[in-house]
């Protein structure tokens, strides 16, 4: 009877059921032993946002981003945290649960997709931070030019989420098996992520960059995705080249990732 409930082995329904169970397990393990629990999903990006706000508002003259800067900053920082933490976890996706990966009959791709899903849920749970600062800005800011205005661009946010999920699944299919076969890639990935943070318009906008860096950064798939996240408040910052590039590159990385994953699945199982 239970098999009927969750679907037959090998069916999409069974896969999704297993994916949800593993993702829920990750979230329970992450927060069960923590006193603050869910609040860590809020505190991490909140503290980072306040630090950058202090640096660019009080310590240095700010000429990056858009007003209100705190809304601009958080709208880019929250999806970056999702991307950064998921990619970091990809490097340990198979070694962390090596026995389960070897012994279970479920598709091994589920160990990557559960990271994308669980980190995505944490991202959605952190969105109240953005909503809070939007409300505070509306209440305390007297200058209309510095007030967060929510427009029709908010409809682009689901598109941004889908594109980021597509990009992350493709990256996970590449990073996870390669890190099993080449252990040095785990540290290499950490270094790349540090550099990528500054090569991605999180604390600044593409419009702040001179040529040729404006065009170069536009080919970063995260650039267009972050533009769509910010479109609700800053539609004037949206450019078609980065958005189209993000869609094409994300789908391309997904296709390459699936091909690499299938080619390396057996060598990875032998290595584990």
């Amino acid at each position: 009877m239970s098999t009927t409930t969750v679907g037959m082995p090998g069916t999409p329904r069974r896969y999704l059921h297993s994916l949800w169970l593993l993702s829920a397990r990750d979230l329970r393990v992450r927060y069960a032993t923590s006193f603050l629990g869910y609040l860590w999903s809020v505190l991490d990006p909140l503290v980072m946002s306040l630090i950058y706000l202090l640096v660019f508002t009080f310590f240095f003259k700010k000429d990056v981003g858009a007003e209100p800067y705190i809304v601009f900053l958080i709208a880019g920082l929250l999806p970056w945290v999702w991307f950064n933490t998921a990619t970091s976890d990809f490097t340990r996706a198979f070694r962390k649960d090596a026995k389960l990966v070897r012994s279970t009959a479920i598709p091994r791709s589920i160990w990557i997709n559960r990271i994308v899903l669980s980190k995505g849920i944490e991202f959605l749970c952190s969105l109240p931070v953005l909503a809070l600062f939007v409300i505070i800005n509306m209440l305390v800011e007297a200058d209309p030019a510095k007030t967060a205005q929510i427009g029709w661009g908010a409809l682009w946010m689901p598109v941004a989420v889908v594109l980021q999920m597509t990009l992350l699944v493709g990256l996970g299919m590449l990073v996870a098996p390669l890190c099993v076969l080449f252990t040095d890639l785990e540290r290499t990935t950490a270094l790349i992520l540090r550099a990528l943070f500054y090569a991605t318009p999180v604390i600044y906008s593409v419009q702040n960059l001179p040529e040729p860096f404006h065009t170069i950064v536009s080919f970063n798939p995260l650039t267009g995705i972050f533009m769509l996240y910010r479109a609700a408040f800053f539609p004037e910052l949206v450019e078609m080249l980065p958005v189209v590039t993000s869609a094409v590159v994300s789908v391309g990385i997904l296709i390459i990732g699936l091909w690499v994953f299938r080619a390396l699945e057996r060598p990875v199982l032998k290595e584990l």
Side-chain angles (χ1 to χ4, degrees):
M1 182 173 294
S2 60
T3 303
T4 306
T5 302
V6 298
M8 298 297 293
T11 61
R13 187 178 180 185
R14 184 66 172 268
Y15 183 94
L16 292 174
H17 179 76
S18 301
L19 175 61
W20 173 251
L21 289 179
L22 288 171
S23 302
R25 187 204 66 170
D26 283 352
L27 293 172
R28 284 196 300 269
V29 170
R30 179 176 173 84
Y31 297 120
T33 58
S34 172
F35 177 74
L36 293 178
Y38 153 76
L39 290 179
W40 280 116
S41 297
V42 175
L43 287 175
D44 187 26
L46 177 60
V47 171
M48 291 179 65
S49 299
L50 293 177
I51 290 173
Y52 285 114
L53 180 65
L54 288 172
V55 170
F56 289 105
T57 302
F58 297 102
F59 300 152
F60 298 100
K61 181 179 179 181
K62 179 179 70 63
D63 56 356
V64 295
E67 293 293 343
Y69 184 67
I70 186 62
V71 175
F72 171 89
L73 181 61
I74 295 178
L77 196 57
L78 294 182
W80 168 259
V81 171
W82 178 16
F83 177 85
N84 182 63
T85 55
T87 305
S88 297
D89 282 4
F90 290 152
T91 62
R92 303 178 296 274
F94 291 138
R95 291 191 180 277
K96 183 179 178 181
D97 295 309
K99 291 183 179 180
L100 285 175
V101 174
R102 290 196 307 265
S103 60
T104 55
I106 58 178
R108 273 75 189 190
S109 61
I110 203 169
W111 302 101
I112 295 167
N113 292 330
R114 57 126 183 184
I115 294 175
V116 177
L117 180 58
S118 62
K119 297 302 180 182
I121 292 173
E122 290 182 355
F123 163 72
L124 294 177
C125 291
S126 68
L127 288 179
V129 175
L130 177 60
L132 174 64
F133 278 96
V134 169
I135 294 172
I136 292 175
N137 174 260
M138 289 180 173
L139 293 176
V140 302
E141 184 59 63
D143 186 355
K146 297 182 179 181
T147 303
Q149 303 291 335
I150 304 177
W152 289 103
L155 297 176
W156 285 110
M157 182 170 286
V159 178
V161 171
V162 171
L163 283 179
Q164 186 162 347
M165 289 182 66
T166 303
L167 176 62
L168 283 172
V169 170
L171 282 176
M173 297 289 181
L174 286 168
V175 172
L178 289 174
C179 283
V180 174
L181 301 176
F182 307 98
T183 54
D184 286 342
L185 282 179
E186 182 174 345
R187 294 184 178 181
T188 303
T189 301
L191 292 176
I192 292 174
L193 286 173
R194 291 179 187 176
L196 187 60
F197 175 80
Y198 296 100
T200 301
V202 179
I203 58 179
Y204 60 87
S205 67
V206 176
Q207 288 76 11
N208 297 133
L209 299 174
E211 291 291 355
F213 300 105
H214 183 123
T215 302
I216 294 173
V217 171
S218 296
F219 285 95
N220 177 347
L222 292 175
T223 298
I225 293 173
F226 287 10
M227 282 183 177
L228 295 180
Y229 280 119
R230 288 169 168 154
F233 313 102
F234 312 101
E236 70 279 4
L237 299 181
V238 178
E239 298 180 4
M240 287 306 299
L241 175 61
V243 172
V244 173
T245 299
S246 294
V248 173
V249 173
S250 296
V251 173
I253 290 178
L254 176 62
I255 294 173
I256 295 172
L258 289 171
W259 178 77
V260 170
F261 185 84
R262 289 173 181 172
L264 297 181
E265 186 172 2
R266 287 189 176 182
V268 165
L269 291 176
K270 291 180 180 179
E271 186 69 23
L272 291 175

